[in-house]
Amino acid sequence: MQNTAETGPDAPIDTTPLLDDPYTALAALREAGPVHRITGTDGQPAWLVTRYDDVRSALADPRLSLDKRHATPGNYRGFSLPPALDANLLNMDPPDHTRIRRLVVKAFTPGRVEALRGPVQRIADELLDAMAAKGRAELVADYAGPLPITVICDLLGIPAEDRRNFLAWSDALITPDPGRPQAMKEAIGAMLEFYTALIAAKRAEPGDDLLSDLIAVRDDAAGTTDADRLGEDELTSLAFLILFAGYENTVQLIGNAVLALLDHPEQLTALRRNPAEVTPAVEEFLRYDGPAALAIRRFPVEDMEIGGVRIPAGESVLLSLASANRDPHRFPAPDRLDPARDLSGHLALGHGIHYCLGAPLARMEAEIAIGALISRFPGLRLDVPRDEVRHRRTIRARGLISLPVAW
Ligand code: HEM
């Protein structure tokens, strides 16, 4: 872990410690230097940025493009998604990003999110009823997973019969199995088919949902060149991004938060006594063990410096949100779970023009999910020895494979 960009970034450092014990490994890297050469999630070399100030300014730096066309050819081999899934906000820069984000913001109103509060509470209560009947549960599969999936399907208007195990799809993308290289391709093919069919069905029979609104935006402006233009690939890609972003991180946030509480029984007791504290608690869960460990990879459009390190145009830059949120220069005693700390400016939901579009929904879901769980099962505890709790093995995302609990 000594091979820092400051001392000469020859070979990428070994990423195994980042998989085994990420926060310890990130603390060592942050201490050793602001930027390190690592092997990225696509197996290609990348620059990992570790310190809060650098990560925050890089997130909002227009010289760092999210558009893969700015990658040096051969230097980046990320997901190869078909255009109908790839033309999404997280691969775009202004002005396309500005145009599409404005359209989504218009359709994804605060009123739409607020209207979901009752349904989210109801879904949480139903899942807890089913768990109560069994006496023990696997929290990811029985609660943290189904809750956000149901919510995002309700928001988009995905009919009950079309809902499926979306988690298997995101697993195939986020933690591809090297022994089954075709699994990712199959998942991508299945997703493409799913979104195309879904949009055709909604177009034929629109409902009172976000996706129908976005289709109307697309169809009203079809053939025009005005600012409301939304291409067909952009529409399917948007549906894909909202569904994927809408459950993937939220599932992990709920799981990580429950584990953090089980690891800190005094905080669990305090929160149960004072349910109103769930709002700052969720902010601290986001900072302490947020699901998006890395921001979307970015490519410098020109040679630039980050933390005094020169990064050539077109190389992959990975901004470690997990490391920034544990930087002691920004969050004193960062490894302590402390909802009373000053949490302003944590980067778990990004920063700048790509700041998470679903942040209000994510916060609301987590608050309701955690509040309902701990009030329903006061005796909540782990149902396996602590060292058997496993995380997914990826530096990109931070989440549990499973979380067996009893009460
Ligand atoms: C705990 C849950 C969530 C976390 C931690 C999270 C995190 C993030 C982060 C870090 C970004 C910025 C990525 C970057 O700049 O590289 C982002 C963007 C985004 N998120 Fe979330 N997110 C969550 C939930 C949601 C939900 C529930 C939705 C939708 C319903 C959503 C939709 C989006 C979209 C559409 C973007 C792209 C925005 C843009 O590029 O302008 N997210 N999210």
Side-chain angles (χ1 to χ4, degrees), residues 59 89-90 97 101 108 152 155 241-242 245-246 249-250 253 286 291-292 295-296 298 321 348-350 353-358 361-362 365:
L59 282 167
L89 291 171
L90 287 174
H97 175 269
R101 178 145 176 146
F108 195 3
I152 199 73
L155 178 76
L241 175 65
I242 295 176
N249 285 314
T250 316
L253 174 62
L286 280 162
I296 298 299
R298 283 153 163 81
L321 307 178
L349 296 159
I353 61 166
H354 292 279
Y355 181 76
C356 179
L357 205 73
L361 177 61
E365 286 184 72

Side-chain angles (χ1 to χ4, degrees), residues 136-275:
R136 51 167 29 98
E138 196 286 273
L139 204 88
V140 177
D142 293 339
Y143 191 63
L147 181 104
I149 289 179
T150 310
V151 173
I152 199 73
C153 288
D154 283 355
L155 178 76
L156 282 168
I158 298 176
E161 62 276 16
D162 292 340
R163 299 182 184 189
R164 58 200 70 200
N165 187 4
F166 297 116
L167 275 178
W169 285 349
S170 40
D171 277 343
L173 290 191
I174 290 174
T175 46
D177 176 354
R180 282 200 67 223
Q182 74 283 17
M184 189 195 276
K185 262 204 191 119
E186 283 164 15
I188 291 170
M191 286 191 281
L192 181 58
E193 203 176 302
F194 174 79
Y195 291 103
T196 312
L198 178 67
I199 287 173
K202 285 269 148 204
R203 197 168 250 143
E205 208 172 316
D208 176 21
D209 54 68
L210 180 58
L211 192 52
S212 297
D213 284 4
L214 292 169
I215 292 170
V217 164
R218 147 95 184 130
D219 293 351
D220 289 351
T224 71
T225 52
D226 68 17
D228 280 347
R229 193 168 41 80
L230 183 64
E232 191 68 20
D233 282 348
E234 291 170 345
L235 175 64
T236 34
S237 299
L238 194 53
F240 162 69
L241 175 65
I242 295 176
L243 177 64
F244 191 90
Y247 68 82
E248 171 52 35
N249 285 314
T250 316
V251 174
Q252 311 308 340
L253 174 62
I254 296 169
N256 294 358
V258 173
L259 181 62
L261 284 173
L262 294 174
D263 282 342
H264 297 82
E266 71 298 343
Q267 302 277 357
L268 179 56
T269 308
L271 193 54
R272 195 178 306 110
R273 287 210 186 106
N274 204 347

